[in-house]
Amino acid sequence: MSDDSKPKPDTYTVLLYSDDIKVRDRIRLAIGLRPAADLAVEFVDASTWEECRRLLDDYEIDLMVLDGEASPAGGLGIARQTKDEYATPPPTCVVIARAADRWLAAYAQVDQTLVYPLDPVTTGQTIAGMLRARRNGAVPLGTLGTLG
């Protein structure tokens, strides 16, 4: 017998970007389908900037998780280009190899960073926090938000 009194989790669409399918799979595994009890995620994958752009144009993307080490288009470059080209870009999280690269992430107006190798607890907490902030109306970095 199912318990209908439990609230259903809010479901969000997360775009995973990396040129390497194994990296996307590791990120997906670290986030999980339920990063928190009140949140569920559906993933869409992209391996090129063109695929990212198509997904951003065609779907409601709630969060982008980008591989900072991808090639030829790195996650930091895609994050910055998204902030520059879209009036209301989704929040972005970039996975970087070196904590020292956080200054580059700040320049790219990245909302959060994670460092390889991914810790599932930290990753889940970071993604859950970003999705809850989105749900509560937080405006991503590099976004002017709604005036008026």
Side-chain angles (χ1 to χ4, degrees):
M1 189 156 125
S2 69
D3 184 4
D4 291 332
S5 65
K6 286 186 180 179
K8 299 241 186 254
D10 293 333
T11 302
Y12 295 92
T13 303
V14 175
L15 188 156
L16 293 181
Y17 165 75
S18 177
D19 63 323
D20 185 341
I21 191 168
K22 291 178 185 175
V23 170
R24 289 194 308 268
D25 287 343
R26 283 193 292 266
I27 294 171
R28 183 184 348 270
L29 185 62
I31 295 171
L33 295 175
R34 296 281 299 272
D38 59 328
L39 303 168
V41 296
E42 296 174 343
F43 294 101
V44 292
D45 287 33
S47 60
T48 66
W49 164 234
E50 291 76 21
E51 288 177 8
C52 284
R53 182 179 286 142
R54 183 182 53 78
L55 290 167
L56 287 167
D57 291 342
D58 294 345
Y59 297 97
E60 179 68 30
I61 302 296
D62 297 301
L63 174 67
M64 293 182 10
V65 181
L66 310 170
D67 176 10
E69 306 304 310
S71 177
L76 292 170
I78 287 177
R80 180 61 190 233
Q81 195 162 353
T82 301
K83 301 290 182 156
D84 289 346
E85 292 184 9
Y86 289 85
T88 56
T92 56
C93 179
V94 176
V95 183
I96 55 178
R98 297 162 298 280
D101 286 341
R102 286 195 170 113
W103 75 270
L104 286 169
Y107 174 76
Q109 299 177 337
V110 169
D111 298 281
Q112 291 285 337
T113 57
L114 293 166
V115 179
Y116 288 117
L118 293 174
D119 171 49
V121 173
T122 303
T123 301
Q125 290 172 343
T126 300
I127 299 303
M130 292 180 76
L131 292 173
R132 286 184 184 121
R134 175 124 173 129
R135 176 176 63 197
N136 295 332
V139 177
L141 291 175
T143 305
L144 292 177
T146 319
L147 300 176

